Amino acid sequence: MISLTSYAFVAMMLFSIGAIGVIARRNIFVIYMSIEMMLNGINLFLVTFARYHFNMDPQVITIMVIAIAAAEAAIFLSVIILLYRSRKSLDTDIFNTLKQGEKS
Amino acid sequence: MNTNLLVWIILAPLLGAILNAGFYFYHIKKEKVSELTFSLIGTGTPLISFLITLTLFLRMNEEGIIFKQELFTWLDIDKLHIGMSLLGDNLSIFMSMFVTFVGWLIHIYAIGYMRGDNGFGKFFAYFNLFLASMLILVLADNPIILFIGWEGVGVCSYLLIKFYYGKAENVIAANKAFIVNRVGDFGFILGIVTLFFALGEVDLSFSSIEANIGNASSELLVLSGVLLFIGAMGKSAQIPLYVWLPDAMAGPTPISALIHAATMVTAGVYMVARFHFLYSGIEEIGLLIAYIGAFSALLAAIIATRQTDIKKILAYSTMSQLGYMFIAVGLGFYSTGLFHVFTHAFFKAMLFMGAGGVILAVHHRQNIFDIAKHRAITPIIKFTFLIGVIAISGVPFFSGFFSKDAILAAAFQEGEYLIWAMAIFTAFLTAFYMFRLYFIVFVAPTKHEVKYEYTSRTITIPLLLLAVGAVAAGYLNLPTILGGEHLVDTWLIQLKSNTIHMSHLTEWILMILSVVVAGSGIFVAYKKYANFDIYHPEEETGLIGNKFYIDDIYNTLFVQSTKKVSTFIDKVIDEKIIDGFIMSSSNTFVNIGKKVSMTQNANVRFYAAFMLVGMTCIFIYLYITLGL
Amino acid sequence: MSSDILSFIIFLPALVAFALMITTKDVNTIRNIAFLTTTVILALVLKIYIEFIPSEGMQFVTNVPWIETYGINYYVGLDGFSLTILMMIAILIPTSYLLLWEGRTKGYWLNMLLVQTGVTGTLLSLDIVLFYFFWEVMLLPVFLMIGSYGFGKKIFTTIKVTVYTMAGSLLMFIAILYLGVAYHNEFGVWSFAYNELMKITTIEYSTRVWLFLAFLSAFAIKIPIFPLHTWIMDTYKNAPTGAVFLLSSIMAKLGVYAIVRFMIPIFPEIYIEFSIYFVAIGLFGLVYFGIAALMQDDIKRMFAYSSASHLSFIAAGIFSLNEYGINGALYLTIAHAIATGALFLLVGLIHEETGFKTIKDLGGIAKQAPILTFIFAIMLFANVGLPGTNGFVSELLIIFGIYEFNHTLGYISAITVVVGASYMLWMFQRAILQDRPEGSPVLKMRDLKIKEIIGLTPWVFLVFLMGFYPDIFIDKFEPTVTHYLNDILHIGAAK
């Protein structure tokens, strides 16, 4: 059998890569994809524990997460389109009108 | 004994001042008021004061009493009880007599002198106010009320010196007078305070101080004596606080006559006499006073020999004569000193008034050589001026001789030969520079065509009256060797002055010596100046001509350095250091705020990173504390 | 009924201000009604002055619970100290209205009314939290006045002065809370009345010192005492005349008053122990500010320094621990308020008429405006301490007081005689007297109008009355001073 730890490790990797992608990438689509990757990592965690502890509850949560991710996809992509329309760019660093500190 | 009349001596000129001030405001705001009105009020009130004083004097002479008047309680805190009370004893009535009489004559003189001036009414208001203050000074029953009059005359002196205030230098002279006086007052107030506590906080009237003088330790008495004398130094223009007096000549001549000759400057001498019970007990200080008087007399006389402004020469001569007065009172000869005050008032006022008359006659020139170049014939002025010059030089049969001679004899008798020598040399110089003045102004040959210039009677009549006084006043205190009765000394017996009691031979020798000295001074002046070429005038150059540079020294030492400290305080200490500290602490807050606000940079990914870091920390913390 | 009179005096101006704010729009109506209010208050205060009996206790007292849970009462009352300052405020403010009559906006007058409430409330409060409340209330209208109606860097100035003063008030507030808690711990109930807080005994010495300094910081900033004085320079220069007048003539005195009212009863031993330092600092301030005033080119800054100089002298007198000094200091607060207030108002007038910037630009006013010059000269000499004016009596008493306290410091204190004269006379010469070339803006200066003369005449009259007949005034507050010294500080008993 493949141990729990390996699955956990893979899930952890997925989550971390997603987290870093959210922080370090400027392209909105990439950020979105990283968020999805984080969610998938969490899903893998949940399913793994469900399989290894013979419990159905995590699997229920996983289905919910997938559903929510889909809804979130719809909204996220609509907002991206609106943002693109207002600023004609997909660089998240441009949206800084709420900035304090130096003059923007 | 109690009387209600004393206060009217002061109130009459005070009300005159208020009335004239009111009329003056009316004059400049609404309608013109005639000079006659101002003159009547202005000269009527001193006359009233003089008449009241005369009445009281006659009664005192007959009955041998003194007058007091308690007006109201001025201050009553803890143990400090000061009443607004007036004292009319021999000394104060003596002072008041000649102050009001000479003052009255000078007021009359001022009518003619100030004719046509825009500020005619204002002048008389100030003048009356001055007289009122001087009378408060001499009639006060305690040193605090005396100080009210003391400062009052200082303020009036300031107001009158800067009468022509449009020109800055007049105001500067007035400021100088007031501030130097104030330095003296600093000493005076401290003297009173020290005395009050040294005596154990007793009632502060003069009689009470005299009675309790034994309570105080002698060091504190010495200290009080010195401090009080610092006040006198300022008021009476002795070294080192004399620098204001020559500059004070910027004011109109009547005030030079009244304030800076006959009355205000003698306040210091009066004060020392009034505190005779204090100074008689601290003879070292009395000696110090006498020395300062002698040095001042000498210094002033030296400087006067090279001055070219007619009023400044007279100013320095006043300082010199004041020095004589202090020699006398310093050595304990109070009545002798006051006798010189008395005679000096007459001839000095007359000299100043004469100078004013001359200045008017030559249309406002004050340099003696200029006056000679434009000389006019003014017989009465010339005559009275001559009498004044003779009197001040100490020629026998004129008043100055008797008073000055008594002072010289006093110094000699006390064994203060240095003082005596300085005083005699000063007498020589006095005769010299006064006759220098006379010869140049009235005698030295001029190419100008001299014409007669009319001088109004308001000028000439007071001059003649004072001339009588200048001669006759001396006879009031004739020494016994000449068959006199020492009237002034007897009158002022309360002061317990030292008296002259030396062998008749010594007295005659001293007298002849001073006559010889005076005569030689006149002679030297005659040789040099009677035929002086006024078209090559003397300039005020050289060490003496520049008044030993003392004014400049004072300026650098005190005025400039204070200004520099002031700028330093403002620009460096206040702005840079103290305020800099405050502003830098507030700037620190602002800067910290700016730094912190850099986290609010509206960058979403930055916020996300922060959230991640934060969550990680929380999980680690929970992991550690919950021991998972 | 008579014991409600104090509350009426305190709140009337604020109520009138609020009423005016919502009803009228016309500046002149507002100004007239405000003036009427202040004269009404003057009349009431005169009534109190006559009815006051110069003994040691509090009179006209009102004491009702306000915030009961914490023992904070609405406790107001009057004794000799407050009476003199109240009289002074009541007389000064109506005249200042007369001299500020033309050309102001609505807000100006409303703010003046509110300040009057704050100031009177501060003066009459005997509960320390109530006192704090009014202390802050009197700051806010001044903040608005300087910020809206000032000159130059007015926003910067108003923020600086407000924050600076509030920093001090904050320290004071912390001390107040500490005292309240200590009282509660000791006695089981809450109270903030000044005569209750006197009774606390459980605070240890070092804490008392900190509390003392915390309180003092608030008052020292207001007075000002060196080195907490740097706010005055910008403020007096950039603030409108009304604000400057209020700050220097009235609010600074409240700092002095507060020291006497609250700090002496609550911290007597520390007060006595530290008195020598404060007398020394006061005298230092006298000389320091006096010299700094000399070379000032801006006339308002010069007066700011002069004001600070006299106020330092007052502070020195307050700390001199004897009857002469404290009575003298109180007398000088009144004398200074009148003289400096008048000078500031006249200078404000000159500024508005001529638009000058510095003393160098002035001169020749004496010919244009003789009545103004006359009153200016009288107030100047009162400031300098000429005998015959109230300034002299007060300075003399303070010199006596400081001398009795410490001989050396007494000698230094007499310097006040010389210091004031020098810069005042020089300023007078350059600004008022000496001639100006033709075409200078100064020549537009007008003389005083009738209402201004009427307003200032009582002040001139007071200056001389207080100078020639001081006893009738001093009698009103002398018993209170004696009471403070003997009973609270136990100094008189020791003598």
Side-chain angles (χ1 to χ4, degrees), chain B residues 25 28-29 72-80 82 84 144 147-148 151-152 155 158-159 162 165-168 171-172 175 178-179 182-183 185-186 189-190 192-194 196-197 201 204 220 223 227 562-563 565-567 569-570 573-575 578-579 582-583, chain C residues 156 160 164 226-227 229-230 233 288 291-292 294-296 301 305 323-324 327 366-367 370-371 374 381 384-388 392-393 396-397 399-400 403-404 410-411 414-415 417-418 421-422 425-426 428-429 433-435 447 467-471 474 478 495:
Chain B
F25 277 119
I28 52 179
K29 288 289 177 184
F72 48 80
T73 315
W74 194 65
L75 204 60
D76 185 13
I77 295 183
D78 200 8
K79 301 200 201 73
L80 186 65
I82 302 177
M84 181 69 84
I144 308 272
F147 190 70
I148 295 184
E151 284 273 348
V155 162
Y158 165 80
L159 291 170
K162 70 152 187 56
Y165 55 76
K167 288 177 66 179
V171 187
I172 293 176
N175 289 348
F178 193 70
I179 294 177
R182 275 259 155 166
V183 175
D185 297 341
F186 163 79
I189 286 210
L190 284 177
I192 297 182
V193 174
T194 316
F196 176 67
F197 286 104
E201 294 178 79
L204 264 189
L220 284 178
L223 192 55
L227 289 169
T562 315
K563 285 188 183 177
V565 172
S566 171
T567 322
I569 290 181
D570 182 30
I573 302 186
D574 259 8
E575 261 181 50
I578 302 181
D579 206 35
I582 306 275
M583 291 312 291
Chain C
F156 168 76
K160 180 171 174 180
Y164 202 152
F226 183 88
H229 63 279
T230 47
M233 295 154 355
Y288 180 86
I291 296 183
L294 190 63
M295 288 303 283
Q296 287 302 317
R301 271 183 75 138
Y305 273 117
E323 287 210 36
Y324 307 120
N327 276 311
K367 289 217 173 69
I371 299 188
F374 177 64
F381 279 116
V384 165
L386 184 72
F392 168 65
V393 180
L396 184 72
L397 281 173
I399 295 177
F400 268 98
Y403 182 86
E404 185 178 1
Y411 282 122
I415 287 189
V417 168
V418 184
S422 26
L425 289 182
W426 195 32
F428 191 57
Q429 167 205 328
L433 293 176
Q434 65 188 45
D435 275 335
D447 205 356
F468 275 106
Y469 207 169
D471 211 41
I474 296 189
E478 198 207 336
K495 264 204 206 159

Side-chain angles (χ1 to χ4, degrees), chain A residues 15 19-20 22-26 31 92-93 95-102, chain B residues 593-594 597-610 612-613 615:
Chain A
F15 183 81
I20 300 218
V22 166
I23 294 174
R25 297 297 297 260
R26 285 161 70 165
I31 292 179
T92 48
D93 279 352
F95 303 101
N96 59 2
T97 6
L98 287 180
K99 183 177 182 168
Q100 177 58 44
E102 309 112 52
Chain B
K594 283 190 185 152
S597 75
M598 292 203 329
T599 58
Q600 297 291 305
N601 56 6
N603 187 328
V604 185
R605 303 179 300 121
F606 183 79
Y607 294 165
F610 244 92
L612 196 62
V613 169
M615 280 192 296

Side-chain angles (χ1 to χ4, degrees), chain C residues 92 149 175 277 344 456:
Chain C
L92 258 49
Y149 310 115
Y277 301 115
F344 270 121
L456 285 172

Side-chain angles (χ1 to χ4, degrees), chain B residues 3-10 12 45-58 93 96-97 100:
Chain B
T3 173
N4 287 330
L5 281 180
L6 274 179
V7 72
W8 284 104
I9 301 181
I10 299 174
T45 49
L47 184 60
I48 296 177
S49 297
F50 174 63
L51 291 173
I52 300 180
T53 316
L54 190 61
T55 326
L56 292 175
F57 169 75
L58 291 172
I93 295 292
S96 180
M97 284 281 279
T100 48

